[in-house]
Amino acid sequence: MALARVTVLASGRGSNLAALIAAAERAAGPWAVTHVVCNRPGARALVVATEHGIATTLVDHTTYASRADFDAALATAIDRGEPDLVVLAGFMRVLGDAFVARYAGRMLNIHPSLLPAYPGLHTHRRALADGVTEHGCTVHAVSAAVDGGAIVDQARVPVLPGDDEATLAARVLEAEHRLLPSAVTRWCIARARSLPPEAGR
Ligand code: GRF
């Protein structure tokens, strides 16, 4: 099976990136994280990638005059890694329509809520404020609407009595670390099945 090249975009801690790398190494295919692109100098995600010998590129959004300029630089960096799939794993920038269109059908995002509930920021705080009994995370295709693309998969966790934002976030994050690698694996297997038999040989 052709090994799919996955480029991960991250902005911070990189725990979802680490979960992806661990899963790819454990399963030994059908995909590998081959490139990590980050918009924040000093982000832990860059360290995680480097520790695993994965190529990194920094595209610091503060050095671009406009979002369009940043998006163009980001696309150039991504394309250099020749990815089959782009995964946003804690990538905290809103992307423009042209950028989203360029990667249509091959870009996934992990979001810490059961979409369509709680798009945007502070999802755990908002879920607690509403008194919901169930929360979770979603992997979805990236579309022009923020956190609005087609849902690929979700994982549910209970909201327990006494939960605060930190305990709930930790429970959801554990679920994210299982959901994202499994969604990427399924995406890559589906892609491999749709390729002509000679591809990747
Ligand atoms: C995750 O909760 C992700 O769903 C959200 O930002 C957080 C990133 O965490 N978009 P990490 O950088 O993967 O540790």
Side-chain angles (χ1 to χ4, degrees), residues 98-196:
F99 182 93
V100 170
R102 184 186 186 97
Y103 300 102
R106 53 189 181 113
M107 184 156 62
L108 301 177
N109 180 46
I110 176 98
H111 181 75
S113 80
L114 294 172
L115 291 171
Y118 311 119
L121 298 174
H122 309 302
T123 58
H124 311 307
R125 192 185 309 168
R126 288 153 63 204
L128 286 169
D130 284 349
V132 297
T133 55
E134 196 177 50
H135 189 41
C137 50
T138 302
V139 173
H140 64 93
V142 177
S143 72
V146 176
D147 300 326
I151 291 173
V152 171
D153 205 1
Q154 295 187 308
R156 294 166 187 280
V157 303
V159 180
L160 300 178
D163 263 343
D164 58 20
E165 209 174 325
T167 57
L168 184 55
R171 194 173 307 120
V172 172
L173 192 64
E174 265 186 49
E176 291 183 44
H177 293 166
R178 289 188 298 272
L179 183 71
L180 184 57
S182 101
V184 168
T185 298
R186 277 194 288 114
W187 190 95
C188 291
I189 289 172
R191 167 190 169 270
R193 289 196 177 129
S194 70
L195 291 174

Side-chain angles (χ1 to χ4, degrees), residues 2-110:
L3 185 77
R5 299 171 60 82
V6 177
T7 288
V8 177
L9 271 54
S11 298
R13 181 176 55 180
S15 71
N16 277 291
L17 168 64
L20 283 168
I21 295 169
E25 288 178 352
R26 248 192 335 265
W31 54 274
V33 178
T34 47
H35 188 200
V36 172
V37 181
C38 182
N39 65 306
R40 283 191 190 280
R44 173 87 194 138
L46 289 167
V47 179
V48 170
T50 304
E51 279 173 358
H52 287 84
I54 296 168
T56 61
T57 305
L58 174 67
V59 185
D60 181 349
H61 63 277
T62 63
T63 63
Y64 294 89
S66 68
R67 183 157 87 189
D69 288 353
F70 170 68
D71 282 2
L74 195 61
T76 301
I78 291 169
D79 291 351
R80 228 180 274 133
E82 299 184 349
D84 299 299
L85 176 66
V86 177
V87 176
L88 311 187
F91 188 67
M92 303 305 284
R93 302 299 300 170
V94 172
L95 298 162
D97 290 358
F99 182 93
V100 170
R102 184 186 186 97
Y103 300 102
R106 53 189 181 113
M107 184 156 62
L108 301 177
N109 180 46
I110 176 98

